[in-house]
Every structure is written in structure tokens, then in C-alpha cells.
Amino acid sequence: MESKTHACGDFKAELIKTAQEICAAGKGILAADESTGTIGKRFDGIGVENNHANRQAYRELLFTAPGIDEHISGVIMFDETVRDTTADGSKKFVDILRGRGIHCGIKVETGLVPIGGTDGETATQGLDGLGKRCAEYYALGCRFAKWRAVLKIGNGCPTEAAVRENAHSLARYGSICQQNGLVPIIEPEILQDGEHDIEVCAAVSERVFSAVMQELFNQHLLIEGLLLKPNMVTPGASCAKRAKPEEIGWYTVRTLGRSIVPALPGVVFLSGGQSEEEASLNLNAMNKLEGCPRPWRLTFSYGRALQQSALKIWSKDTKNIKDTQKIFNHRAKMCSLASQGKWSKELESK
Ligand code: 13P
């Protein structure tokens, strides 16, 4: 019988190992890949100037926080951070993280552009020259990458054009990553904006995730060597009918079960505007579900839901590294517990 050729060439064993290590039991990802513009928005919110020294100091305190290697297996960075060092210039961030057994990841998309003829739906840019960039990031020490596709619900969206464009570019990016030894995180984010209820989010998510899965097969990706970073299935942010964590957990797992094959090692959720506690509660609910098959590890790849409290403490006194690191480590621990279905209110308030 003819054996199937995958996109990954010689990197097959390494990709599988990296993907498994990233979603090891009780571990997840810190998304610290805010572009210079996006970190500026976070800093604006707390009155900190967006200059290189502040970005460097903030990332240094996150990456050197005591204890986080027990809960964090990967950190996604922006280009500037991957090349950056500690403020005293003595160590590269990449070396610090790798020395702690944490995989380094890199955001490789370069921005969103509107798809003409749609209601502001978008295509993600960054495929041109991507192979060369991936090879350079591998040489710099990165072992995984991220690419975010954005879809929205309402007024006829997502259209077939947007679903197909984004599924295709996610798979094309994933294929190029695997050819260059980087585990691709495939991120189809369906935004929470809108009045739609949870049923609508479930139906749209099922349609989008299925289309993405199909493209991953069409383009010969090695499923065991990639990770999926989807939204959770929730009601729209402006929907009057709120959902309990148990419902969000159940709908999310049902949707994944209908669209994602068991060969995938892990699903690393984005927090997408949920509060820190909500993001822990909802992930915990999924991992406590009984009678719902979950062949993949279900864990976190949070940006805001890991950093909100830490940023707040830090903004009060940017010299107060110790307390900022303490609160960040607590958040990482709560997410780790949630990824094992062991989170509780008592532990949260400790
Ligand atoms: P949030 O968890 O803040 O949504 O960020 C995760 C991420 O990486 C989005 O691309």
C-alpha cells in the first residue's frame, strides 16, 4: 500500500514530541505575543508608556517568574521578544525559557486585510516568505508557531468565502511550519461580539472547525504534530441569555467531538475577552464532564486571562516585581488546575 506523505519531511518525530510536551498533563501556553501595537493598548489601560524598556521589563518578569515552569509548557512571542534579552543584556529570553523546559513559540502572521465584497470579514496575511522566516525562527530556538484567523457571527457572517479563505491559509501556514520543524498552532478565532446565543455559536464553530480540519487533510498536515487553538463555544457578548460554565463546557466538547479527529494531541483555548476567573471556570467545566469523550488534551493558551491581574499590580509600581510574579504564578496555577478539572473557588481565593 502506498504510504501517505506528510508536509513535515524529516521533522516528523520532533514535531510529535514537541506537540506532546506542550500539552503535557497540567500544562498550557502563555500567549505573550502581543504585537508592539497591541501591548501598547494593554499598557495604555494601566498608564504605562509603550517603549522598549517597559516591554522588555514586563516580559522579563513574566519569563523569570518563580514556579511557572510547573504550569507553563510554552510561551508565544512577538518577533521583537524572540530576539530580545534581559534588561542587563546578559541572557536571551529564548535561552531563559528553554533552560526552564519551556518551548518558545512565535507569532508569524503579519496582519488582517478585509475580504472585498463582505461585511468587513478578514483574511490573515503572512504567507509570502514564511518558509524562510520559519527556518530563521527555528535557528533562533523556536519550536512552535501561531497564526490567528478571525471570523465573526451575524449579518450573514461568516460567509462561505471567509470560511474557505481562512481554512485554506491556516492549513497552508501549518504546512510551511511543519516543513521547517515548527509545530503550528492553528487558531480559528470566532469572535464573541454579537447578540447570538450559544446554539448559534455552536453551529458556526462546528462549520468552521470542520472546514479547517478538512483543509488540514487536503494539504497533508501531520495531525499528531499540530495543535488547535479555538474559541470556546459561548453566547455572544451582547446576548441576554448567559450560559453556565457546565453548558459552555458541554457545547464546546460536543462541537470538537463532531469536527476534530482524535489524532490531534491537544486543544489549547484562547480566552477571547473572558475574565480570568471565567476562563478558568469554563476550562475546568470541560475537564470535569462525564460521559463526553475527550480524546485530546484540553488546556489553555491564554493572553489576557493569564496577564490581567499581573498587569494591574505591576502598573501600581513597576519596581514591584515580586508581587507581580506571585499573582502571575497564581493565575498560571489556576489555569493548570482547570486543565485537569481540579480548579476550585477555595484554591482560587487563596
Ligand atoms: P487571549 O487569550 O487574550 O484571547 O489571547 C490569546 C491569543 O493568543 C489570541 O490570538
Side-chain angles (χ1 to χ4, degrees), residues 153 191-196 235-239 242:
I153 300 181
L191 298 175
Q192 270 200 343
D193 304 347
E195 292 176 357
H196 55 273
S238 317
C239 175
R242 305 316 301 160

Side-chain angles (χ1 to χ4, degrees), residues 178-198:
Q178 289 196 334
Q179 277 178 296
N180 287 283
L182 302 181
V183 167
I185 293 191
I186 305 287
E187 182 176 353
E189 174 171 6
I190 301 162
L191 298 175
Q192 270 200 343
D193 304 347
E195 292 176 357
H196 55 273
D197 63 19
I198 194 166

